[in-house]
């Protein structure tokens, strides 16, 4: 076993949940209380011991048996030494504290330096690019898995595509030519933190010219044939429905392409990926061009300032009732790279709010995968995506989530 992995095996905790007092953090703690293996040793992390004790009390109300295996740890999120002391106590850190460009970089650095695995729920591709540039090689050297995009951004897209490609490789022994995904049903709330992350991203998009590059997150030596494009409305003959812009596709598509690229184009050298959302014709036009207009508007400083004054504040989120009523369904069509047109269909489904319930499940299961099945993970270090880092071990845990569906339909 590598020296870094040996050192990690003797740490006090399996997982520290950083940001446990926040909206998503506390909900992640509740999910773990109900669903994590009882052998797990974990801790709630944050700045305020008093608030952490409140969350711990809630966890113990859900299941008192966690008393001996649940701790509390505090740290100064603006101090690297303080964060290094925190991550040195655990095998894995879950971070639910965003916007990550504002609050997340020091924690990633601490994990990369100390050989501590890490996962988060960011959708901030520009920030992840910075983490790749700064810490990917360090994380490889120290056997630290830094796994971004472990929420609704971008687990259904990334792991759904991995599922499809893996099926094709096993059944047909061929590469995958293409995967396309459409969101056919979705219902859920949105938090202040998510809106602020999107607004802050506008400034980065103006500063980083390459963000429109489809392979923005890819290693330079492993790119593909896709070009930058402007979203449009069209009728898809395979899905037999009108397709428009899915709000998260600009991020999700780059994540899927990185999963292919960082594994040396294991999906296929000419693999392409595209995702959309299913609408009626009129709604498709309204949503697509409204989102394009929003993207343009947040690149302007005056508009960002105004939006921050009127949108919900960070820390606010949907009600419990909204969360319970939420759900989503994504349909996949993959095409085998061959002379004949052979297609495989698949589906990913979540039975509650995508952003604030399914996200909590996904990031918790990613951390549990790394904590309890490290040898089964696909990679051993680097700033990676869920599919490229965790592979089959994670897909098995996702399929075991109550109400979740990750299935191939031939």
């Amino acid at each position: 076993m590598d020296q870094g992995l040996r050192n990690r095996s003797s740490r006090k905790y399996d997982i520290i949940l950083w940001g446990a007092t926040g909206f998503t953090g506390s909900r992640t703690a509740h999910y773990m209380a109900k669903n994590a293996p009882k052998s797990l040793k974990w801790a709630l992390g944050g700045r305020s011991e008093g608030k952490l004790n409140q969350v711990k009390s809630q966890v113990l109300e859900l299941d008192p048996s966690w008393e001996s295996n649940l701790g509390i740890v505090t740290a100064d999120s603006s101090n690297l030494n303080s964060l290094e002391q925190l991550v040195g106590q655990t095998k894995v850190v879950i971070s639910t504290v965003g916007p990550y460009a504002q609050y997340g970089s020091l924690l990633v650095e601490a994990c990369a330096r100390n050989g501590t695995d890490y996962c988060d729920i960011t959708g901030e591709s520009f920030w992840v690019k910075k983490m790749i540039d700064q810490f990917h090689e360090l994380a490889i050297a120290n056997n630290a898995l830094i796994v971004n995009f472990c929420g609704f951004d971008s687990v259904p897209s990334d792991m759904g595509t991995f599922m499809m490609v893996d099926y094709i490789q096993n059944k047909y022994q061929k590469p995958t030519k293409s995967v396309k995904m459409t969101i056919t049903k979705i219902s859920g709330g949105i938090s202040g933190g998510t809106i602020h992350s999107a607004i802050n991203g506008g400034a980065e998009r103006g500063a980083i010219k390459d963000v429109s590059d489809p392979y923005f997150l890819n290693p330079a030596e492993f790119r593909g044939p896709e070009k930058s494009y402007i979203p449009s409305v069209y009728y898809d003959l395979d899905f037999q429905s009108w397709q428009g812009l899915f709000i998260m596709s600009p991020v999700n598509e780059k994540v899927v392409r990185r999963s292919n690229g960082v594994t040396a184009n294991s999906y296929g050298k000419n693999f392409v990926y595209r995702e959309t959302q299913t609408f009626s014709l009129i709604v498709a036009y309204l949503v697509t061009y409204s989102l394009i207009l929003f993207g343009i508007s947040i690149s302007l400083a005056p508009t960002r300032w105004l939006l921050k004054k009127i949108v919900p504040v960070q820390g606010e989120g949907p009600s419990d009732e909204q969360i319970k009523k939420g759900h989503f369904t994504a349909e996949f069509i993959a095409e085998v790279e061959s002379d004949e047109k052979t297609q495989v269909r698949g589906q990913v489904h979540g039975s509650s709010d995508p952003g604030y319930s399914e996200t909590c499940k996904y990031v918790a299961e990613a951390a549990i995968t790394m904590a309890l099945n490290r040898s089964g993970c696909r990679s051993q270090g680097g700033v990676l995506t869920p599919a490229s880092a965790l592979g089959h071990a994670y897909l098995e845990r996702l399929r075991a989530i109550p109400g979740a569906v990750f299935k191939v339909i031939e």
Side-chain angles (χ1 to χ4, degrees):
M1 184 185 291
D2 181 88
Q3 181 66 36
L5 298 181
R6 281 200 298 270
N7 290 342
R8 191 158 50 223
S9 67
S10 62
R11 295 183 182 182
K12 182 177 181 179
Y13 297 112
D14 295 309
I15 297 172
I16 290 177
L17 172 57
W18 179 247
T21 62
F23 185 82
T24 304
S26 62
R27 297 196 68 86
T28 303
H30 294 173
Y31 174 80
M32 292 178 66
K34 295 177 181 178
N35 297 280
K38 295 303 178 185
S39 61
L40 195 78
K41 295 180 180 179
W42 56 298
L44 306 172
R47 293 175 297 176
S48 169
E49 186 172 351
K51 291 181 179 179
L52 290 169
N53 273 312
Q54 292 176 11
V55 178
K56 182 176 181 179
S57 295
Q58 295 169 5
V59 168
L60 296 179
E61 284 180 16
L62 293 169
D63 189 341
S65 68
W66 284 115
E67 179 68 51
S68 59
N69 275 4
L70 180 62
I72 284 177
V73 290
T74 59
D76 180 352
S77 60
S78 63
N79 185 287
L80 181 60
N81 289 333
S82 179
L83 290 173
E84 288 200 78
Q85 291 177 19
L86 178 135
V87 305
Q89 300 179 59
T90 186
K91 298 176 185 177
V92 185
V93 172
I94 299 173
S95 176
T96 61
V97 182
Y100 289 86
Q102 189 172 353
Y103 300 114
S105 300
L106 286 180
L107 183 57
V108 169
E109 180 177 356
C111 289
R113 287 164 62 110
N114 288 272
T116 301
D117 292 339
Y118 164 99
C119 55
D120 65 33
I121 56 172
T122 189
E124 300 165 46
S125 58
F126 55 88
W127 174 72
V128 173
K129 180 63 164 66
K130 291 180 180 179
M131 297 301 97
I132 293 168
D133 292 344
Q134 294 176 22
F135 302 121
H136 181 63
E137 296 303 324
L138 179 63
I140 291 173
N142 291 329
N143 292 101
L145 285 175
I146 307 298
V147 191
N148 310 111
F149 306 111
C150 288
F152 188 56
D153 289 324
S154 302
V155 166
S157 305
D158 195 39
M159 293 305 297
T161 299
F162 172 79
M163 171 184 74
M164 303 301 292
V165 170
D166 182 65
Y167 181 89
I168 287 172
Q169 288 174 341
N170 288 329
K171 180 167 183 176
Y172 298 99
Q173 290 79 52
K174 292 181 180 292
T176 300
K177 180 180 180 180
S178 66
V179 173
K180 56 184 177 181
M181 182 271 272
T182 183
I183 297 290
T184 57
K185 299 176 183 177
I186 188 166
S187 175
I190 189 166
S191 78
T194 298
I195 298 172
H196 281 265
S197 292
I199 295 171
N200 291 339
E204 296 287 345
R205 281 195 288 274
I208 303 175
K209 303 301 182 185
D210 293 335
V211 76
S212 61
D213 177 2
Y215 300 98
F216 178 61
L217 297 178
N218 275 49
E221 66 273 27
F222 292 109
R223 295 172 60 87
E226 296 190 71
K227 307 295 182 184
S228 179
Y229 72 97
I230 297 174
S232 62
V233 174
Y234 63 94
Y235 188 84
D236 188 282
L237 292 174
D238 293 319
F239 290 126
Q240 295 188 351
S241 55
W242 288 99
Q243 302 299 310
L245 175 61
F246 176 45
I247 188 171
M248 289 155 49
S249 63
V251 172
N252 294 338
E253 290 177 350
K254 293 179 178 66
V255 173
V256 172
R257 292 177 193 129
R258 177 165 177 78
S259 291
N260 183 38
V262 81
T263 56
N265 285 345
S266 62
Y267 296 0
K269 185 173 67 174
N270 297 311
F271 170 82
V272 297
Y273 177 77
R274 189 64 52 85
E275 68 179 43
T276 51
Q277 185 170 348
T278 296
F279 299 103
S280 65
L281 176 59
I282 294 175
V283 175
Y285 275 104
L286 288 173
V287 170
T288 298
Y289 293 105
S290 294
L291 289 174
I292 291 173
L293 182 61
F294 176 75
I296 294 171
S297 68
I298 61 174
S299 67
L300 306 174
T303 309
R304 290 196 301 275
W305 177 85
L306 178 61
L307 286 171
K308 287 182 179 180
K309 296 294 183 182
I310 61 177
V311 301
V313 300
Q314 292 172 221
E316 291 183 359
S319 68
D320 288 342
E321 191 63 28
Q322 286 176 307
I323 289 172
K324 289 177 183 177
K325 290 180 178 179
H327 58 86
F328 80 93
T329 301
E331 304 288 345
F332 291 78
I333 296 178
E335 188 170 342
V336 181
E337 190 172 281
S338 65
D339 294 334
E340 300 178 3
K341 186 173 182 179
T342 303
Q343 291 184 334
V344 177
R345 291 179 178 259
Q347 185 184 89
V348 173
H349 173 76
S351 59
S352 56
D353 183 284
Y356 301 99
S357 183
E358 299 305 300
T359 282
C360 300
K361 301 171 188 178
Y362 296 157
V363 75
E365 296 296 351
I368 293 169
T369 300
M370 290 186 282
L372 302 185
N373 191 14
R374 188 54 157 74
S375 62
C377 292
R378 191 178 182 190
S379 300
Q380 294 301 304
V383 181
L384 300 166
T385 60
S388 62
L390 308 179
H392 291 104
Y394 186 36
L395 183 59
E396 290 176 9
R397 294 205 65 89
L398 292 172
R399 284 173 163 162
I401 293 173
V405 174
F406 282 80
K407 67 179 181 180
V408 175
I409 308 165
E410 181 65 52

